């Protein structure tokens, strides 16, 4: 990393969102300190407490008391992982910013690998969980979303869901300038980066606590991703509407000719009902998709703050 800016601040910032992770924080801090000091970085760690209801904040305060390089941000309630990362990035000072989950599934020991890749000239370096320790209920939807995200953003990556990522300061500043009510940080960063790389990183089973990403949060994140970075879904719906209209016209012509040739008949009524219900279901889906875009516009025009900070230390 470039050491010319050390007088103005650290050359490495590690941003960690925290939500009810009291069981993992002590081990995380010990491993982080050992890795960052061992690599010789001038570093800071920014923990963002995303409305934890356990002893996470008390433990984080003890870290701040022991080491002035540990800085803390505390939300007044839970706003979500990506809002917590935004809060940490806005207060970071490092020339390289690394994001990391607090659950220890991604090892802190891989941070130097990301920084070394940044030093090769890349703007963004993402981690790829090559041997992911999750059930297929998590990995299969994740694989589908990764493919869709690659198509939407135009940047082909294997793992958009890995939080262990490194960003150059210019990219962080560009993301901080965005005022979107919700956003998917890896995709947003790629839209500003000139060069993006991806390297394999370790992945372990969660040591303590429970995953904060249930089915609802995953679906919400995926909808935000699809509607926040592309109009491709709307274009797809328009294309499908044209195809269905042509099929409907053709099917209507077929039924008219059949009636002239065969005469009135009732055997095809249930088939018509099945086709009708299929089209009605597709229409409802399309209306919901358009509603998602309208909802995003509604959230943006209100210009409400993305989060409220209750307390900061360091």
């Amino acid at each position: 990393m470039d050491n010319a800016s050390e007088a103005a601040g650290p050359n490495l910032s590690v941003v960690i969102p925290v939500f009810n992770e009291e069981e993992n924080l002590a081990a995380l801090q010990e491993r982080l300190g050992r890795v960052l000091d061992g690599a010789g970085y001038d570093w800071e760690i920014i923990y963002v407490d995303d409305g934890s209801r356990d002893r996470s904040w008390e433990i984080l305060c003890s870290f701040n008391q022991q080491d002035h390089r540990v800085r803390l941000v505390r939300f007044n309630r839970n706003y979500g992982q990506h809002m917590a990362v935004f809060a940490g990035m806005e207060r970071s000072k490092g020339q390289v910013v690394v994001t990391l989950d607090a659950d220890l599934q991604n090892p802190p020991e891989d941070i130097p690998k990301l920084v070394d890749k940044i030093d090769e000239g890349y703007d963004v370096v993402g981690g790829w969980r090559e041997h992911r320790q999750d059930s297929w209920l998590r990995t299969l939807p994740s694989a589908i979303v990764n493919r869709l995200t690659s198509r939407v953003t135009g940047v082909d990556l294997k793992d958009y869901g890995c939080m262990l990522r490194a960003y150059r300061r210019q990219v962080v500043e560009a993301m901080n300038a965005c005022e979107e009510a919700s956003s998917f940080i890896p995709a947003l960063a790629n839209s500003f980066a000139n060069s993006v790389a991806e390297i394999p990183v370790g992945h372990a089973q969660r040591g303590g606590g429970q995953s904060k990403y249930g089915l609802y949060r995953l679906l919400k994140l995926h909808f935000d991703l699809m509607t926040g970075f592309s109009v491709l879904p709307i274009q797809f719906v328009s294309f499908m509407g044209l195809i269905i209209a042509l099929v409907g016209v053709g099917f209507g012509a077929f039924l008219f000719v059949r009636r002239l040739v065969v005469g009135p008949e009732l055997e095809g009524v249930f088939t018509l009902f099945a086709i009708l219900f299929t089209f009605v279901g597709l229409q409802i889906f399309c209306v919901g998709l358009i509603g998602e875009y309208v909802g995003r516009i509604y959230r943006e025009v209100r210009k409400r703050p993305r989060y409220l900070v209750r307390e900061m230390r360091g």
Side-chain angles (χ1 to χ4, degrees):
M1 287 183 295
D2 184 6
N3 294 321
S5 59
E6 287 188 18
N11 53 23
L12 177 65
S13 298
V14 181
V15 174
I16 305 175
V18 177
F19 181 59
N20 295 339
E21 295 287 357
E22 62 178 0
E23 299 178 30
N24 300 311
L25 290 176
L28 172 63
Q29 178 63 19
E30 190 275 329
R31 290 170 61 180
L32 264 175
R34 185 172 66 247
V35 170
L36 299 179
D37 285 335
Y41 301 135
D42 178 20
W43 57 267
E44 66 175 359
I45 300 174
I46 304 176
Y47 289 101
V48 182
D49 186 348
D50 188 21
S52 297
R53 294 183 291 271
D54 59 3
R55 295 182 56 253
S56 292
W57 180 250
E58 299 174 29
I59 297 172
L60 294 177
C61 288
S62 69
F63 297 162
N64 171 253
Q65 293 169 358
Q66 296 167 8
D67 194 330
H68 70 279
R69 296 173 295 181
V70 176
R71 303 167 58 201
L72 310 179
V73 179
R74 187 183 190 186
F75 285 169
N76 66 319
R77 67 169 180 84
N78 179 253
Y79 289 94
Q81 181 188 52
H82 288 264
M83 290 302 102
V85 173
F86 269 124
M89 284 185 167
E90 289 171 357
R91 291 156 179 81
S92 66
K93 302 176 182 178
Q95 294 305 302
V96 175
V97 178
V98 172
T99 59
L100 176 69
D101 279 332
D103 57 14
L104 284 177
Q105 287 194 274
N106 292 124
E109 290 77 10
D110 282 337
I111 290 177
K113 293 166 57 178
L114 296 174
V115 177
D116 290 343
K117 199 68 176 178
I118 286 283
D119 287 342
E120 293 179 15
Y122 292 98
D123 291 331
V124 175
V125 178
W128 163 40
R129 295 166 291 185
E130 186 176 11
H131 303 291
R132 188 171 175 181
Q133 303 298 311
D134 285 325
S135 68
W136 67 270
L137 293 174
R138 295 289 299 273
T139 57
L140 180 59
S142 179
I144 296 173
V145 171
N146 285 329
R147 296 309 306 162
L148 290 175
T149 306
S150 296
R151 293 293 299 274
V152 168
T153 61
V155 181
D156 190 12
L157 297 180
K158 300 182 180 71
D159 194 351
Y160 271 91
C162 181
M163 185 53 69
L164 181 54
R165 314 181 79 84
Y167 307 91
R168 198 176 290 275
R169 167 53 55 183
Q170 297 93 313
V171 175
V172 173
E173 294 295 341
M175 289 193 290
N176 289 342
C178 296
E179 298 180 355
E180 302 170 18
S182 59
S183 191
F184 186 65
I185 290 176
L188 181 63
N190 289 349
S191 67
F192 293 118
N194 179 55
S195 55
V196 180
E198 191 174 39
I199 62 174
V201 295
H203 192 250
Q205 294 186 1
R206 171 179 278 272
Q210 296 180 344
S211 173
K212 311 306 184 296
Y213 268 90
L215 179 60
Y216 171 74
R217 282 202 171 190
L218 287 173
L219 289 175
K220 182 177 182 297
L221 181 64
H222 298 161
F223 271 113
D224 281 344
L225 170 64
M226 293 300 298
T227 58
F229 292 90
S230 174
V231 295
L232 181 62
I234 289 290
Q235 294 171 341
F236 176 76
V237 165
S238 300
F239 176 75
M240 288 297 297
L242 177 62
I243 296 299
I244 291 173
L246 293 176
V247 171
V249 171
F251 189 61
F254 168 76
L255 291 179
F256 178 73
V257 173
R258 181 179 176 84
R259 183 179 180 86
L260 293 178
V261 174
V262 179
E265 56 182 350
L266 297 176
E267 290 78 2
V269 171
F270 293 107
T271 301
L272 291 176
F273 272 118
I275 295 173
L276 175 63
F277 291 151
T278 300
F279 287 169
V280 168
L282 184 59
Q283 285 181 321
I284 294 174
F285 169 77
C286 295
V287 170
L289 181 61
I290 295 172
E292 182 69 22
Y293 277 96
V294 174
R296 289 188 66 90
I297 296 171
Y298 174 65
R299 290 195 298 269
E300 297 295 341
V301 298
R302 288 185 298 179
K303 293 297 181 181
R304 294 182 179 179
R306 294 188 290 191
Y307 56 82
L308 292 179
V309 174
R310 176 178 176 181
E311 184 178 354
M312 291 193 298
R313 299 197 178 189

